[in-house]
Amino acid sequence: MGRSPLLLLFLIILSLAPPPITKSQTTNTQNVTSINVGALYTFNSVIGRAARRAIDMALEDVNLDHTILPGTKLNLLSQDTNCSGFLATVEALQVLEKNVVAIIGPQSSGGSHILSQVANSLQVPLLSFSATDPTLSALEFPYFLRATQSDLFQMRAIADIVDFFQWREVTAIYVDDDYGRNGIAALGDELAQRRAKISYKAGFGQAADLTEITGLLLRVNLLESRVYVLHVNPDSGLSVFSVAQKLGMTGSGYVWIVTDWLAAVLDSNGYGLGYGYESVDADPKVFNLIQGSIVLRWHTPDSDLRNRFVSRWRNKRGNTDSGSGLNAYSLYAYDSVWLMARAIDQYLKTGNSVNFSTDPKLHDVNGSTLHLAMLKIFNGGKGLLQNLLSTNFTGVTGQVQFGPSRDLIQPAYDIINVVSTGSRLIGYWSNYSGLSVDSPEILYRKPHNFSGESRKLYDVVWPGGTTQQPRGWVFPNNGQPLRIGVPNKGSFKQFVSRGSNSGSNSNASGYCIDVFNEAIKLLPYPVPCSFVLIGNGTSNPIYDDIINMVAQNKLDAAVGDIAIVKNRTKIVDFTQPYAEAGLVILAPVKHQSSSAWAFLKPFTLPMWCVIGAFFILVGIVIWILEHRRNDEFRGTPREQIATMFWFSFSTMFFAHKQNTVSVLGRLVLIVWLFVVLIITSSYTASLTSILTVQQLTTGITGLDSLIASRNPIGYQVGKFVKNYLMEELSIPESRLVPLSTIADYADALKRGPQGGGVAAIVDERPYIDIFLSTYCNDFRVVGQEFTREGWGFAFQRDSPLAVDLSTAILTLSETGDLQRIHDQWLSTKTCDSEDTDIGASRLSLSSFWGLFSISGAVCFLALIIYFVKLYIQYEKHYKKSSDTTKDHVAPPNQQKEPKYLASFSSFKDLIELWNTKEEDLIKKKRTSGEMSSKSSGHGSLTSQHSMD
């Protein structure tokens, strides 16, 4: 309400007030003996009756407690607001005339909105124990405080319950005032954070009669959602259940989640939801109305203080006080009085005084009978407000303390399930840890945990007495079948096409349609649907347009060969995929004709040359290493050359007869035989492939070569392939050629890029399989499947039918029916040469240079070692012999040998040593040694005879 209408209301009220008694503008009160505090609530209401006794008890306790306001009496000036915002304003102004420092109340959220404006102007704090509207914020209403929990937390608890049972839509039934309207708005925000929503808001006026409520619930019952959140006033809430029962809306399949008003009604009547005292026998009529409901109630921890209060309440309650029993509002009203008393006590103890002053803006107009001076500003309002915010004590509701947002800390709710014989506690909700079966007091001592695994509730007995969780939705009972969009294509009609009978569900047929129909039959409820053909049947429709129609509510669902891709999942929900449909590349091939020289094709010419050179090289190396020790590598020069070549080339077939006896020779041979094994195996495989190969005509062998080439690429019109090639693979649109039918595919591939056709076609695997069943010999899939999409049925976001159909599709897969439908529509002849190699290439030196390098290195190393050993032998044998010869004195007339002849003689000796068989050399050494010994012995004897 705006400020101007509010002031006009004040003027009307003040015109009826008596003239002021005092003439001074400021009233000072020193040595305060009493403090006036107002109280505004509806006496004759469920909340008011419970609060009135609690307020009286609290006032009595405060004035008897000498530690609180010593020497000062707290006066409580109560006024009945009669459930009226207008009367609440009138009563509030009458209370404000009596110099009250604060007001406990108002009871209603609507009255709090109005009076908060007055409180802001007069700086009088308002402390409400029952106004739960979340929009009563501290920024707009700084002098309004809530000594109870905001409905923001209650709606958060309800959203968690909805999310716990995995419902995605609810219907909100509420009283259309500030309390109901703003509470449901908060619920919508909380549900949105959990990917759920309020599908319909059904509000009714405070004065609505049963006829209006009946009409409202009839409209609600025609809707899809069966999860109802009932947020109304305690005094009229049961009438909604009464009408719902008559309409059959409290039976199986329905869900009722009720805010704290119902707990207050049942607690007030003692129907088993009380706080520790004996309940009266449950009224069967009442519990038949609400059986199976989930009810929230403010959680108050069990404590001695609360138990003593409950005991006093029971002793004070008379037998005739029907409907005035204890409920949660009683506890919060009791603590509100104590909170106010403690704040005033702290205010006075800090040396503050109670004084009021008139607002200069509110003055009497000449000739007017209005007495605006009656409204005074409490000068200590800001100080008292701060004392209220800083007060911290333990009351009957638990810890009473305001948090940074000026809400009470540690909000929590009991979650109660009403059954036919009473009620049962199924869990708790707290802002600290969400849903749990452990009490909040236990969880406060544990680390903070909001994980999904920690969310628990006990089993619920739902409406109708069943323990099976309701699905939460049905098909709207409005006589309208689901509008199912079906692409009416001009090609690949095995998947989806126009049926024979127009105007019914048989106006579409095909593999996709049969899968959908079989899945629908598995649902535990009937699904009326009507197929709407999209397209003219000659050209393919744009599939993205069909998906957009679903997202824009022009269609309820889309059924067909629709791929599940990223951009579509952002606007619709898909079922479980019922078919795999990854992208593949289709290319033309030609059969290679055989020739007389086909056996040379496995290797390139450089490869053949290197192989031949290595055969000769290895033969030479083995001959060098074996010549001195192996008789098989000796003989006449002609025989040795023949042996060398025969040994070398016979290793190709592992048929060499000569044995190697040297270690180095065996090492070279082992490495070479390994190389020969690899070469022969590769040759055999390549030759086999070449003799049966089909050669690609365009050179495209996979995705990389497709992207790198500049040739045109074909795609199916209407499908997502075009966007994928452009956006994901960065292929320019100029290279893309749209194609529609199987004949278009074949013609474009046969003509090729030079003839105005395409080099390859990119499409989903099921279409390519259908194509190859007709054109088997001339085209093949090249490369691997490079995406992993699937086909699914598209529904509007958060449609529960998508989840149920996913389960049905999995059932079809497990029972084999999905494969049966596939074989019925798509069982085609297989390509005999489907597995034939495509585009086999000749083996080049680049594939084997590592092997040849290893073999060459081993040969070179063996020769180095061999010649080093040979040279050492030469030094030991021939050099020593030469030195011995030099020791003999040459005749004087003998000429000295030229140096070049000496070098030639040494090389000749080295060759002679290499050509000498090692066994002969050893025998020669042995004979030379014996002769040397004999010569030495003969010389010794001659010397001895000479001496004699």
Side-chain angles (χ1 to χ4, degrees), residues 392-698:
N392 180 5
F393 71 100
T394 301
V396 295
T397 59
Q399 190 70 22
V400 180
Q401 180 183 356
F402 291 101
S405 61
R406 300 188 14 160
D407 287 313
L408 290 180
I409 64 172
Q410 298 178 345
Y413 289 86
D414 299 335
I415 303 176
I416 297 165
N417 180 212
V418 180
V419 295
S420 58
T421 57
S423 62
R424 47 193 291 267
L425 186 67
I426 61 172
Y428 304 90
W429 180 91
S430 69
N431 199 45
Y432 180 76
S433 58
L435 298 174
S436 175
V437 294
D438 296 324
S439 68
E441 290 73 41
I442 296 176
L443 298 176
Y444 292 146
R445 298 192 294 267
K446 297 180 179 180
H448 185 77
N449 186 8
F450 254 120
S451 64
E453 292 78 6
S454 65
R455 300 191 309 169
K456 293 180 181 179
L457 288 176
Y458 291 118
D459 293 337
V460 180
V461 178
W462 303 99
T466 179
T467 56
Q468 182 179 1
Q469 178 186 328
R471 189 171 63 249
W473 66 278
V474 294
F475 281 96
N477 189 19
N478 53 14
Q480 298 295 327
L482 287 180
R483 300 161 298 173
I484 309 295
V486 175
N488 188 16
K489 304 178 61 174
S491 61
F492 300 104
K493 294 182 180 294
Q494 296 93 331
F495 299 106
V496 60
S497 63
R498 178 189 292 274
S500 57
N501 298 326
S502 177
S504 67
N505 285 353
S506 60
N507 64 339
S509 62
Y511 165 68
C512 303
I513 302 301
D514 280 5
V515 172
F516 177 77
N517 288 333
E518 291 298 320
I520 287 292
K521 293 177 183 179
L522 294 178
L523 300 181
Y525 45 86
V527 181
C529 57
S530 175
F531 292 131
V532 180
L533 297 177
I534 309 297
N536 54 21
T538 57
S539 60
N540 294 348
I542 305 301
Y543 279 59
D544 284 342
D545 292 345
I546 300 176
I547 297 300
N548 288 329
M549 293 175 68
V550 176
Q552 297 167 6
N553 198 27
K554 296 179 181 178
L555 293 172
D556 296 310
V559 171
D561 47 346
I562 302 173
I564 304 173
V565 293
K566 179 177 63 177
N567 64 322
R568 295 173 181 174
T569 58
K570 296 178 180 179
I571 57 176
V572 297
D573 284 347
F574 281 94
T575 62
Q576 171 81 14
Y578 62 88
E580 295 181 358
L583 292 180
V584 294
I585 301 172
L586 180 70
V589 296
K590 63 180 180 180
H591 294 275
Q592 285 284 84
S593 59
S594 183
S595 67
W597 301 100
F599 69 91
L600 294 176
K601 291 184 178 180
F603 294 145
T604 60
L605 179 60
M607 182 68 178
W608 280 117
C609 293
V610 171
I611 292 174
F614 259 83
F615 271 112
I616 297 173
L617 174 64
V618 171
I620 294 173
V621 171
I622 294 294
W623 175 75
I624 291 173
L625 298 175
E626 294 291 320
H627 178 71
R628 296 186 64 208
R629 303 184 63 179
N630 196 337
D631 290 337
E632 294 181 356
F633 288 87
R634 301 181 67 83
T636 64
R638 183 176 180 179
E639 290 176 346
Q640 292 186 51
I641 292 173
T643 300
M644 179 175 59
F645 280 97
W646 166 256
F647 176 84
S648 177
F649 285 98
S650 64
T651 57
M652 181 187 303
F653 311 102
F654 304 96
H656 51 283
K657 296 181 179 180
Q658 293 80 4
N659 294 320
T660 54
V661 296
S662 66
V663 175
L664 293 176
R666 290 176 177 178
L667 175 63
V668 171
L669 182 61
I670 288 174
V671 174
W672 175 242
L673 290 178
F674 176 74
V675 174
V676 170
L677 175 65
I678 300 300
I679 291 174
T680 54
S681 299
S682 302
Y683 176 86
T684 304
S686 181
L687 181 62
T688 303
S689 176
I690 288 174
L691 293 177
T692 59
V693 77
Q694 291 176 326
Q695 186 68 32
L696 292 169
T697 60
T698 60

Side-chain angles (χ1 to χ4, degrees), residues 888-910:
H888 296 284
V889 179
N893 58 353
Q894 186 174 349
Q895 293 184 354
K896 197 172 184 180
E897 190 178 37
K899 185 177 292 186
Y900 72 91
L901 291 177
S903 299
F904 178 77
S905 178
S906 298
F907 180 74
K908 183 179 178 181
D909 292 340
L910 182 62

Side-chain angles (χ1 to χ4, degrees), residues 286-307:
V286 173
F287 279 88
N288 284 337
L289 292 177
I290 61 177
Q291 186 273 328
S293 301
I294 296 177
V295 183
L296 274 71
R297 180 181 65 182
W298 289 327
H299 173 75
T300 55
D302 189 15
S303 64
D304 293 338
L305 186 61
R306 194 191 75 172
N307 293 337

Side-chain angles (χ1 to χ4, degrees), residues 38-52 55 79-85 88 103-113 115 126-133 136 144-146 148 151 177 179 233-235 298 327 329 333:
L40 299 175
Y41 55 93
T42 301
F43 292 168
N44 189 25
S45 66
V46 173
I47 297 175
R49 287 190 294 268
R52 186 171 188 178
I55 290 174
Q79 294 290 341
D80 186 4
T81 58
N82 290 304
C83 294
S84 170
I103 294 178
I104 296 177
Q107 175 181 316
S108 67
S109 297
S112 298
H113 275 277
L115 294 182
L126 298 180
L127 184 64
S128 177
F129 57 86
S130 58
T132 57
D133 181 0
L136 289 167
F144 175 82
L145 287 179
R146 191 181 355 244
T148 187
D151 273 342
D177 59 6
Y179 157 76
N233 293 318
D235 299 281
W298 289 327
N327 60 37
Y329 291 99

